[in-house]
Amino acid sequence: MKHISVLVKPASSLCNIRCKYCFYANVSSLREVRSFGKMKTDTLEKMIENIYVDLEDGDELTVAFQGGEPTLAGLSYFKKVVETVQLQGKKVTVHYAIQTNGTMINDRWCQFLAENNFLVGLSIDGRSDSHNSHRVDAKGKGTFARVIDTKKLFDAYKIEYNVLCVLTNQLARSPKKVFDFLVENQIKYVQFIPCLDELDADEKSYYALTPERFASFYQGIFPLWLKEYQRGNYISVKLFDDVYHLFSRGIVGACGMLGNCQVQYVIEADGSVYPCDFYVLDEYRMGFITDSTLRELFEQPIAKEFLCEKSEVSQTCLSCSFRKACNGGCKRMKEAVYVNKKDDFCGYQEVLKQVVNPLMALQSKNG
């Protein structure tokens, strides 16, 4: 039995809001075609058909949708996806997920998401002041109120969702403020996404996270998380979960966590396929899902070259006691999370020093 995952961009880089730090706006701007528009029905049908070629009875498939803003593809698009999947003859367990800014969700969307057991990633950057300073609509107005209304809808419909919070250099200054927001709003699952510099950046942006700020944020939030856990209120913080599973069971919970890239099968709206969401660029295009199966795409030279690309190992990494559990980490996040430009500080190393032993102690205590 195998588990295959694909990441689909049904509305390409189209988006109805203008996040000031959007990494995909930068990625798409570096392509010959900035946006491929909305995925056409024949592309959708051929995509599902070719994905199923490599599946067998008993396998699992995760189809995740991202953007841009994927809901711009329209509810009818997603209904067509589910309908097309159901027409396939093989007995495959299918999981659906969608990442959304939450501004276009209504009752009709919630009914569909609930009926089809979608796991939703909802973007909320903490309290209204921090969220509205970065996540604004086309008129420059903050979107916090609309997103919180969507969260309430998800709660009412009992939709499973995780909050995704972009960790900018500014937000990372306020770990207690962020954690208090999670507790006050009864948010049970959160993933902090490091804010990255643009791929073609000449200098560090105002928003981009630094290893020092990454470390100080998690060093500030961990004691608060641990205290809340000991009170019986468990909040899933993805980094802590990933570290726990890696050190206790050897389970890798995030791509690049051990310094090795994987092919993620990122499918753009025109059917073109790329190995990583950070590198949806012309030079990394492996082919088209409308022409090839996933196995055939994996065997393309571009995929092999991507997997073999290695970033330079720093002196800090060579002397790190956690090297085997990291190996330099994700190459795209290097300057935001790992070793700084002076090569004298690693944010991830500092976090591991603080959290590994307490997390392992929790494992021992809980059996």
Coordinates of all heavy atoms in Angstrom, one line a residue, residues 208-266:
A208 N 11.0 39.5 6.0 CA 11.6 38.2 6.0 C 12.2 37.8 7.4 O 12.9 38.6 8.0 CB 12.7 38.1 4.9
L209 N 11.9 36.6 7.8 CA 12.4 36.1 9.1 C 13.9 35.9 9.1 O 14.5 35.6 8.0 CB 11.6 34.8 9.4 CG 11.7 34.2 10.8 CD1 11.1 35.1 11.8 CD2 11.1 32.8 10.8
T210 N 14.5 36.0 10.2 CA 15.9 35.7 10.4 C 16.1 34.6 11.4 O 15.2 34.3 12.2 CB 16.7 36.9 10.9 OG1 16.2 37.2 12.3 CG2 16.5 38.1 10.0
P211 N 17.2 33.8 11.3 CA 17.4 32.7 12.2 C 17.3 33.2 13.7 O 16.8 32.4 14.5 CB 18.8 32.2 11.9 CG 18.9 32.5 10.4 CD 18.2 33.8 10.3
E212 N 17.8 34.4 14.0 CA 17.8 34.9 15.4 C 16.4 35.1 15.8 O 16.0 34.8 17.0 CB 18.6 36.2 15.4 CG 20.1 36.0 15.3 CD 20.6 36.0 13.8 OE1 19.7 36.0 12.9 OE2 21.8 35.9 13.6
R213 N 15.6 35.7 14.9 CA 14.2 36.0 15.3 C 13.3 34.7 15.4 O 12.5 34.5 16.2 CB 13.6 36.9 14.3 CG 12.3 37.6 14.8 CD 12.5 38.5 15.9 NE 13.1 39.7 15.4 CZ 13.8 40.6 16.2 NH1 13.8 40.4 17.5 NH2 14.3 41.7 15.7
F214 N 13.6 33.7 14.5 CA 13.0 32.4 14.5 C 13.2 31.8 15.9 O 12.3 31.3 16.5 CB 13.5 31.5 13.4 CG 13.1 30.1 13.5 CD1 11.9 29.6 12.9 CD2 14.0 29.2 14.1 CE1 11.6 28.3 13.0 CE2 13.6 27.8 14.2 CZ 12.4 27.4 13.6
A215 N 14.5 31.8 16.3 CA 14.8 31.1 17.6 C 14.1 31.9 18.8 O 13.5 31.2 19.6 CB 16.3 31.1 17.8
S216 N 14.2 33.2 18.8 CA 13.6 33.9 19.9 C 12.1 33.7 20.0 O 11.5 33.7 21.1 CB 13.9 35.4 19.8 OG 13.3 36.0 18.7
F217 N 11.4 33.6 18.9 CA 10.0 33.4 18.9 C 9.7 32.0 19.5 O 8.8 31.9 20.4 CB 9.4 33.4 17.4 CG 8.0 33.0 17.4 CD1 7.0 34.0 17.7 CD2 7.5 31.8 17.0 CE1 5.6 33.6 17.7 CE2 6.2 31.4 17.0 CZ 5.2 32.4 17.3
Y218 N 10.3 30.9 19.1 CA 10.0 29.6 19.6 C 10.5 29.5 21.0 O 9.9 28.8 21.8 CB 10.6 28.5 18.7 CG 9.6 28.2 17.5 CD1 10.0 28.7 16.2 CD2 8.5 27.5 17.7 CE1 9.1 28.4 15.2 CE2 7.6 27.2 16.6 CZ 7.9 27.7 15.4 OH 7.1 27.4 14.3
Q219 N 11.6 30.1 21.4 CA 12.1 30.1 22.8 C 11.1 30.8 23.7 O 10.9 30.5 24.8 CB 13.4 30.8 22.8 CG 14.5 29.9 22.2 CD 15.8 30.7 22.1 OE1 15.9 31.9 22.0 NE2 17.0 29.9 22.1
G220 N 10.4 31.8 23.1 CA 9.3 32.5 23.9 C 8.0 31.8 24.0 O 7.4 31.8 25.0
I221 N 7.7 31.1 23.0 CA 6.4 30.4 22.9 C 6.4 29.0 23.6 O 5.3 28.6 24.1 CB 5.8 30.3 21.5 CG1 4.3 30.4 21.5 CG2 6.3 29.1 20.7 CD1 3.7 30.5 20.1
F222 N 7.5 28.4 23.6 CA 7.6 27.0 24.1 C 7.2 26.9 25.6 O 6.4 26.0 26.0 CB 9.0 26.4 23.9 CG 9.0 24.9 24.4 CD1 8.4 23.9 23.7 CD2 9.7 24.6 25.5 CE1 8.5 22.6 24.1 CE2 9.8 23.3 26.0 CZ 9.2 22.3 25.2
P223 N 7.7 27.8 26.5 CA 7.3 27.7 27.9 C 5.8 27.9 28.1 O 5.2 27.3 28.9 CB 8.1 28.8 28.6 CG 9.2 29.1 27.7 CD 8.7 28.8 26.3
L224 N 5.2 28.8 27.3 CA 3.8 29.1 27.3 C 3.0 27.8 26.9 O 2.0 27.5 27.5 CB 3.4 30.3 26.5 CG 4.2 31.6 26.8 CD1 3.9 32.6 25.7 CD2 3.8 32.1 28.2
W225 N 3.5 27.2 25.8 CA 2.9 26.0 25.3 C 2.9 24.9 26.3 O 1.9 24.2 26.5 CB 3.6 25.6 24.0 CG 3.1 24.3 23.4 CD1 2.1 24.1 22.6 CD2 3.7 23.0 23.7 NE1 1.9 22.7 22.3 CE2 2.9 22.0 22.9 CE3 4.8 22.6 24.4 CZ2 3.2 20.7 23.0 CZ3 5.1 21.2 24.4 CH2 4.3 20.3 23.7
L226 N 4.1 24.7 26.9 CA 4.3 23.6 27.9 C 3.4 23.8 29.1 O 2.8 22.9 29.6 CB 5.8 23.6 28.3 CG 6.2 22.4 29.2 CD1 6.0 21.1 28.4 CD2 7.7 22.5 29.5
K227 N 3.3 25.0 29.6 CA 2.4 25.3 30.7 C 1.0 25.0 30.4 O 0.3 24.4 31.2 CB 2.6 26.8 31.1 CG 1.8 27.2 32.4 CD 2.0 28.6 32.7 CE 1.2 29.0 34.0 NZ 1.5 30.5 34.3
E228 N 0.6 25.4 29.2 CA -0.8 25.1 28.8 C -1.1 23.6 28.6 O -2.1 23.1 29.0 CB -1.1 25.8 27.4 CG -2.6 26.0 27.1 CD -3.3 27.0 28.0 OE1 -2.6 27.8 28.7 OE2 -4.5 27.0 28.1
Y229 N -0.1 22.9 28.1 CA -0.2 21.5 28.0 C -0.3 20.8 29.4 O -1.1 19.9 29.5 CB 1.1 20.9 27.3 CG 1.2 19.4 27.2 CD1 0.6 18.8 26.1 CD2 1.8 18.7 28.2 CE1 0.7 17.4 26.0 CE2 1.9 17.3 28.1 CZ 1.3 16.7 27.0 OH 1.4 15.3 26.9
Q230 N 0.5 21.3 30.3 CA 0.4 20.7 31.7 C -0.9 21.0 32.4 O -1.3 20.3 33.3 CB 1.6 21.2 32.5 CG 2.9 20.7 32.0 CD 4.2 21.4 32.6 OE1 4.0 22.5 33.1 NE2 5.3 20.8 32.6
R231 N -1.6 22.1 31.9 CA -2.9 22.4 32.4 C -4.0 21.5 31.8 O -5.2 21.6 32.2 CB -3.2 23.9 32.2 CG -2.4 24.8 33.0 CD -2.8 26.3 32.6 NE -4.2 26.5 32.7 CZ -4.8 27.5 32.1 NH1 -4.1 28.4 31.4 NH2 -6.1 27.7 32.2
G232 N -3.6 20.7 30.8 CA -4.6 19.9 30.1 C -5.1 20.4 28.8 O -6.0 19.8 28.2
N233 N -4.6 21.6 28.4 CA -5.0 22.2 27.1 C -3.9 22.0 26.1 O -3.0 22.8 26.0 CB -5.3 23.6 27.3 CG -5.8 24.3 26.0 OD1 -6.4 23.6 25.1 ND2 -5.6 25.6 25.9
Y234 N -4.1 20.9 25.3 CA -3.0 20.6 24.3 C -3.3 21.4 23.0 O -4.4 21.3 22.4 CB -3.0 19.1 23.9 CG -2.1 18.8 22.8 CD1 -0.7 19.0 22.9 CD2 -2.6 18.4 21.6 CE1 0.1 18.7 21.8 CE2 -1.8 18.1 20.5 CZ -0.4 18.3 20.6 OH 0.4 18.0 19.6
I235 N -2.4 22.2 22.6 CA -2.4 22.9 21.3 C -1.3 22.4 20.4 O -0.2 22.4 20.8 CB -2.2 24.5 21.5 CG1 -3.3 25.0 22.4 CG2 -2.2 25.2 20.2 CD1 -3.2 26.5 22.8
S236 N -1.7 21.9 19.3 CA -0.8 21.3 18.3 C 0.0 22.4 17.6 O -0.6 23.1 16.8 CB -1.5 20.4 17.3 OG -0.6 20.0 16.3
V237 N 1.2 22.6 17.9 CA 2.1 23.5 17.2 C 3.0 22.6 16.3 O 3.7 21.8 16.8 CB 3.0 24.3 18.2 CG1 4.0 25.2 17.4 CG2 2.1 25.2 19.1
K238 N 2.9 22.8 15.0 CA 3.5 21.8 14.1 C 4.9 21.5 14.3 O 5.4 20.4 14.3 CB 3.2 22.2 12.6 CG 3.5 21.0 11.7 CD 3.1 21.3 10.3 CE 3.3 20.0 9.4 NZ 4.6 19.4 9.4
L239 N 5.7 22.6 14.6 CA 7.1 22.4 14.8 C 7.4 21.5 15.9 O 8.2 20.5 15.9 CB 7.9 23.7 14.9 CG 9.4 23.6 15.1 CD1 10.1 23.1 13.9 CD2 10.0 24.9 15.6
F240 N 6.7 21.7 17.0 CA 6.9 20.8 18.2 C 6.4 19.4 17.9 O 7.1 18.4 18.4 CB 6.1 21.4 19.4 CG 6.5 22.8 19.8 CD1 5.6 23.6 20.5 CD2 7.8 23.3 19.6 CE1 6.0 24.9 20.9 CE2 8.1 24.6 19.9 CZ 7.2 25.4 20.6
D241 N 5.3 19.2 17.2 CA 4.9 17.9 16.8 C 5.9 17.2 16.0 O 6.2 16.0 16.2 CB 3.6 18.0 16.1 CG 2.4 18.4 16.9 OD1 2.5 18.4 18.2 OD2 1.3 18.7 16.4
D242 N 6.5 17.9 15.0 CA 7.5 17.4 14.1 C 8.7 16.9 14.8 O 9.3 15.9 14.6 CB 7.8 18.4 13.0 CG 6.7 18.5 12.0 OD1 5.8 17.7 11.9 OD2 6.7 19.5 11.2
V243 N 9.2 17.8 15.7 CA 10.4 17.5 16.5 C 10.2 16.2 17.4 O 11.0 15.3 17.5 CB 10.8 18.7 17.3 CG1 11.9 18.3 18.3 CG2 11.3 19.8 16.4
Y244 N 9.0 16.2 18.0 CA 8.7 15.1 18.9 C 8.7 13.8 18.1 O 9.3 12.8 18.5 CB 7.3 15.3 19.5 CG 6.7 14.1 20.3 CD1 7.2 13.8 21.6 CD2 5.8 13.3 19.7 CE1 6.7 12.7 22.2 CE2 5.3 12.2 20.3 CZ 5.7 11.9 21.6 OH 5.3 10.8 22.3
H245 N 8.0 13.8 17.0 CA 7.9 12.5 16.2 C 9.2 12.1 15.6 O 9.5 10.9 15.5 CB 6.8 12.7 15.0 CG 5.4 12.8 15.5 ND1 4.9 11.8 16.3 CD2 4.5 13.7 15.4 CE1 3.6 12.1 16.5 NE2 3.4 13.3 16.1
L246 N 10.1 13.1 15.2 CA 11.4 12.8 14.7 C 12.3 12.1 15.7 O 12.9 11.1 15.5 CB 12.0 14.0 14.1 CG 13.4 13.8 13.5 CD1 13.4 12.9 12.3 CD2 14.0 15.2 13.1
F247 N 12.3 12.7 16.9 CA 13.3 12.3 17.9 C 12.7 11.1 18.7 O 13.5 10.3 19.3 CB 13.6 13.4 18.9 CG 14.6 14.4 18.3 CD1 14.2 15.4 17.5 CD2 16.0 14.2 18.6 CE1 15.2 16.3 17.0 CE2 16.9 15.1 18.1 CZ 16.5 16.1 17.3
S248 N 11.4 10.9 18.8 CA 10.9 9.7 19.5 C 10.6 8.5 18.6 O 10.8 7.4 19.1 CB 9.6 10.1 20.2 OG 8.6 10.4 19.3
R249 N 10.3 8.8 17.3 CA 9.9 7.6 16.5 C 10.6 7.6 15.2 O 10.4 6.7 14.4 CB 8.4 7.7 16.3 CG 7.6 7.7 17.5 CD 6.1 7.8 17.2 NE 5.3 7.9 18.5 CZ 4.0 8.1 18.5 NH1 3.3 8.2 17.4 NH2 3.4 8.3 19.7
G250 N 11.4 8.6 14.9 CA 12.1 8.7 13.6 C 11.2 9.0 12.4 O 11.5 8.7 11.3
I251 N 10.0 9.6 12.7 CA 9.1 10.0 11.7 C 9.3 11.4 11.2 O 9.4 12.3 12.0 CB 7.6 9.8 12.2 CG1 7.3 8.4 12.6 CG2 6.6 10.3 11.2 CD1 6.0 8.2 13.3
V252 N 9.5 11.5 9.9 CA 9.7 12.9 9.3 C 8.4 13.5 9.0 O 7.6 13.0 8.1 CB 10.6 12.8 8.1 CG1 10.8 14.1 7.5 CG2 11.9 12.1 8.4
G253 N 8.1 14.6 9.6 CA 6.8 15.3 9.4 C 6.7 16.4 8.5 O 5.7 17.0 8.2
A254 N 7.9 16.8 7.9 CA 7.9 18.0 7.0 C 9.0 17.8 6.0 O 10.1 17.3 6.2 CB 8.2 19.2 7.8
C255 N 8.7 18.1 4.7 CA 9.6 18.0 3.6 C 10.8 18.9 3.9 O 10.7 20.0 4.4 CB 8.9 18.5 2.3 SG 10.0 18.4 0.9
G256 N 12.0 18.3 3.7 CA 13.3 19.0 3.9 C 13.8 19.0 5.3 O 14.8 19.6 5.6
M257 N 13.0 18.4 6.2 CA 13.4 18.4 7.6 C 14.7 17.8 7.9 O 15.4 18.1 8.8 CB 12.3 17.7 8.4 CG 12.4 17.9 9.9 SD 10.9 17.2 10.7 CE 11.3 17.8 12.4
L258 N 15.1 16.8 7.0 CA 16.4 16.1 7.2 C 17.4 16.6 6.2 O 18.4 15.9 5.9 CB 16.2 14.6 7.1 CG 15.4 13.9 8.2 CD1 15.4 12.4 8.0 CD2 15.9 14.3 9.6
G259 N 17.1 17.7 5.5 CA 18.0 18.3 4.6 C 18.0 17.7 3.2 O 18.8 18.0 2.3
N260 N 17.0 16.8 3.0 CA 16.8 16.2 1.7 C 15.5 16.6 1.0 O 14.4 16.5 1.7 CB 16.8 14.6 1.8 CG 18.1 14.1 2.3 OD1 19.2 14.5 1.9 ND2 18.0 13.2 3.3
C261 N 15.5 17.0 -0.2 CA 14.3 17.4 -0.9 C 13.5 16.2 -1.4 O 14.1 15.1 -1.6 CB 14.6 18.3 -2.1 SG 15.3 19.9 -1.7
Q262 N 12.2 16.4 -1.5 CA 11.4 15.3 -2.1 C 10.6 16.0 -3.2 O 10.4 17.2 -3.3 CB 10.4 14.8 -1.0 CG 11.0 14.3 0.3 CD 10.0 14.0 1.4 OE1 8.8 14.1 1.1 NE2 10.5 13.8 2.6
V263 N 10.1 15.1 -4.1 CA 9.3 15.6 -5.2 C 7.8 15.7 -4.7 O 7.3 14.7 -4.2 CB 9.3 14.7 -6.4 CG1 8.3 15.1 -7.5 CG2 10.7 14.8 -7.1
Q264 N 7.3 16.9 -4.7 CA 6.0 17.1 -4.1 C 4.8 17.1 -5.1 O 3.7 17.0 -4.7 CB 5.9 18.5 -3.4 CG 6.8 18.7 -2.2 CD 6.7 20.1 -1.6 OE1 6.6 21.1 -2.3 NE2 6.7 20.1 -0.3
Y265 N 5.1 17.1 -6.4 CA 4.1 17.1 -7.4 C 3.2 18.3 -7.3 O 2.0 18.1 -6.9 CB 3.3 15.8 -7.5 CG 4.1 14.5 -7.7 CD1 4.3 13.6 -6.7 CD2 4.8 14.3 -8.9 CE1 5.0 12.4 -6.9 CE2 5.5 13.2 -9.1 CZ 5.7 12.2 -8.1 OH 6.4 11.1 -8.3
V266 N 3.7 19.4 -7.6 CA 2.9 20.7 -7.6 C 2.3 20.8 -9.0 O 3.1 21.0 -9.9 CB 3.7 21.9 -7.2 CG1 2.9 23.1 -7.1 CG2 4.4 21.6 -5.8

